[in-house]
Amino acid sequence: MAESGKRRRVSHANRSSQTFINSLAKIFEGGGTVREGNFVEGSILRITMRNFLTYDHSVVLPGPNLNMIVGANGTGKSSIVCAICLGLAGKTAILGRGDKVGLYVKRGCNKGSVELELYKNDGNIVINREIHVENNQSLWMLNGKHCNQKTVEEEVKALHIQVGNLCQFLPQEKVGEFAKMSKIELLEATEKSVGPPEMYRYHCELKNFRHKERELENTVKEKANFLEKAKQRNERNKHDMNRYYEKKRHLDVIELLDKKKPWVEYETTRKELEGVKKEREEAKKQLSALRQAQAPMLKKMQQIDNHLQPTEAQIKTKTVAIKEASLKCKQKQDQLDQKHKQIDDIKQTQRLKQMEDEDHQKRISNTKRTIEDMKAELSKVADQPDVTPRINEVNVELRRIQVERAKIEGEKSDLRREKDHVIAEGRMLEKKLKDMNNMMNAKEEKLRGRHRDTHTALQWLRQNKHLFSGNVHEPMMLVINVKDHRFAKYVETHISFHDLRAFVFQRKEDTEKFMAEVRDKMNLKVNTISAPEESCSKREPSRNIESLRRFGFFTYLREMFDAPDEVMSYLCHQYRVHDVPVGNEQTKTMIKMVIEEPYLKVFYTTEERYTLKRSFYSNKISTSNSAVHHSQYLSITVDAEEKRQLEQQMKDCESKLQEIDERLKALQKEAASLDRRDNELLAEKKKLSELKGKKRQLEQKISTKQDSLKQMENSFIDLQKIEEETKKKIETVNFQKVDIVKVIVAQMKLRAQLNMEKVYLALETVGLTAERSKLENDCREGASELKSTEQRCSRLEQRKAQLTEQCKGLLKRAKSICRMQADEALPEDLRNAFSDLPDTLDEIDAMLNEEHSRAECFTGLSESVVDEYNRREQEIKHLEKDLEERSNNLTAYRQNISEAKERWLNPLKQLVEQINAKFSDFFRHMQCAGEVDLHSENEEEYDKYGIRIRVKFHSSTQLHELTAYHQSGGERSVSTMLYLMALQELNRCPFRVVDEINQGMDPVNERRVFDIVVRTACKETTSQYFLITPKLLQNLEYADEMTVLCVYNGPHMLPPNQWDEKALIRRCLERKARQ
């Protein structure tokens, strides 16, 4: 879309145009020729364009000093700048117009060409570039000979021409980028532009040197660290090596102990075997004597056992009989206990009957007494008056209260329903308001994500609005409310983002106060706007929308959104939103007719924006169109009127709820009063009812009690009959008890007799058992000793055989460990080594454990530790030598850097001082202040050096660094222009080009800057200078050295082949002669 727009803009330009030199005075005085001696080497003598942008064929002949190219917008001034850039092998990106070189060929032509003639002492250089549209390629010729682009670039570079340097070549589309250059970029551009040829090379070398120096420093540091770590590791290895030798000494001792230990074990076992043999012979003699002494006691014990067996059998029989007799006695005793319990139960029944009779008599007595009391009370009640009329009155009053209470409850129910309805409505309104506020918050989040400084300033403004005397509005994107989200894209396309994020102030003093706080103190990059003093928000459009409906226009842009008065006033004044119509698809189809309509400058179709420009000279219309992009910020719409109505409805709901609550409280009080009166009447009614029914109740109770008394008197208990029956039952049970007792006595006698017989048998058994026990004890002592002796003999025999085999094995093992033959004696060297070691197994084991523990302390050690230590010692020596060589190299490299720094930095400081002197002087002439200095945070970081420009345009402010945000557009243009003029007199580059830099300047600054440009660029010591501008102020001062190039275009221009310069000069001379 952008490319097609550009091509369309070219298509609406003039069909024929011609540039001519308006420096007739100079031609008249100088005899009609310009001396090439006034040109600096590399200056442009001639520019020839064929089928290039707006030109069919044109030749431009600039002067050696200041060349001012003047012409209306669209005539082709910037086309000359494009010709200079592309003719000198510049990139299309420098121009910021189109990325393809074929787009610079005039529309409708297949090819175009640019030819530049550059001044050179030993012969001028002619560069020709022919551009072909079809393949987007260029053919180059240098001095009439075909060549490639690289050759042209080298030739241009040799003449110190740098079209890619903004300090030398500043096209219209790149003016704003100069202020955006960083300090580092500005320094490099300045070095290339006005510094000695070697200065930028020295700077690059220094940056490379510094980079290599850092690499060397890092290498030396790494080597030193590695060496230190190697020494530390080897120191640890040395300790490990000493520990390895100590461990080896312990292992040698352990080896000797392991060799001696089996010999000591063998000798110990052999001595033990001799002792076992002697002990076995003694045990055999003792066993024979014990066997002879124990034979008579065993015979006597056998006789006693034969006599005890029948006696023990009789005792068992008697025991069984005694148990049977005891069981029968127990059973009869249980029967006897049951009979006792039966008698107790009979007596208990008799006592209960007696107690029941006593209780019956008491009830009769109490009933008679109660009847007498009731009769007395009845006589008292009969004297009271009748309470029925009063009860009727109370009932009427209670019914009235009930009716009133029902009315109150009905009204309360209605109020509650109304309250619930109002609450529900309030919640619905609150949700709608919350949704609207969430949409506003979404706008804020987008603002914070896109421009955090503006969001920070917004938070500060909300907290400090009281500091301002006039209306202050938040950024436009927050206060503009598009009525229909489909229209947001038109509004957002029409208003720049810089203005959408701008704060709008009613008064200028509030603007200055805000910027002093936010920009100067808080260092935030924000935009501010002062609304016009006279409101423009109600301006009428130039044409009624009804007259445009036939083209599909349905509204003006202003009607698509709401905004505060000051914001709308600014938008009507700056963007003329009241006069920008918006159409539909019908507008797109009738676009040719729409373009012909007068008074239309900007309008929108469904998807495109159209801008119309009418030529001041030929009244021809040129159009440009661009796509309408989707909205990013304003698509979130909130109806301000609806929001206000919702807030009012919320307030109405709150007041209605308050009224309902007050009425409910009043009704609650009335209900409470009725409840109290109702309770009082109920209490009175209850009391009267009780009094009325008391007489009737007493009569009924007396009758009931008398009936009950008759029943109790008729029912009685015969105690005498019950007593006789009880005696008969007890006598019968006593007879049964006597029979049971007789049986118990007989069984007890039988059990006593059996017990006596058992006792006699037991005494006889005890005597025999005691005698046997004594014999058994005597025999057991002998048997135990006999058995023990037998076991001892057996153990000693087994031990003797075991030790014999063990001695043989130990001897064999000991000789095997010492690597000896079976018949070989212990060598003398081992015998001597063994003499220094312990002679007992315990001492050897203790020493072995100690040596093993000490050896185990040296873990992870092997013979490789010694090899590693020796190898590292050699590495450390090589590392020390390498580190020394690298340190010496680094010292020598630093000396070279210091010398290179002196070669670069001192001339650079002098150059910056010269620029600062000129720059400051220019600003003093403009009654402002400015300075240029060389800035660096670290002198050794050469890639961080930069040129800092600081300016002050108001006496009340401080010097501020020139940035793309801090100064206004006009201030940036002035600063840029004066910096370029400060470079002009240093005169290293052959020419400079500045395109329409004065567009944002106010008239006062523009006049001052123009005077400085003329005075500086027209000196004999300066190089060629091109200043392109669409307008000039009146009564400016011009210099004779200037060359004014006026660019005209239109349908009445002469074709290039009919242009006669000589005839023009002749007519001018004749006119001058007549004067």
Side-chain angles (χ1 to χ4, degrees), residues 869-884:
Y869 176 80
N870 295 330
R871 184 179 62 78
R872 282 225 173 97
E873 278 292 319
Q874 295 298 321
E875 284 184 2
I876 288 171
K877 290 179 182 179
H878 291 305
L879 283 172
E880 288 175 341
K881 183 178 180 181
D882 186 32
L883 179 61
E884 183 180 2

Side-chain angles (χ1 to χ4, degrees), residues 974-986:
V974 171
S975 304
T976 302
M977 193 67 183
L978 295 184
Y979 185 78
L980 294 178
M981 294 314 302
L983 302 181
Q984 180 68 14
E985 292 193 40
L986 299 176

Side-chain angles (χ1 to χ4, degrees), residues 38-54:
N38 294 336
F39 284 91
V40 177
E41 189 170 274
S43 298
I44 299 173
L45 298 176
R46 174 177 55 85
I47 305 169
T48 302
M49 296 169 283
R50 289 183 176 84
N51 298 330
F52 185 80
L53 290 176
T54 59

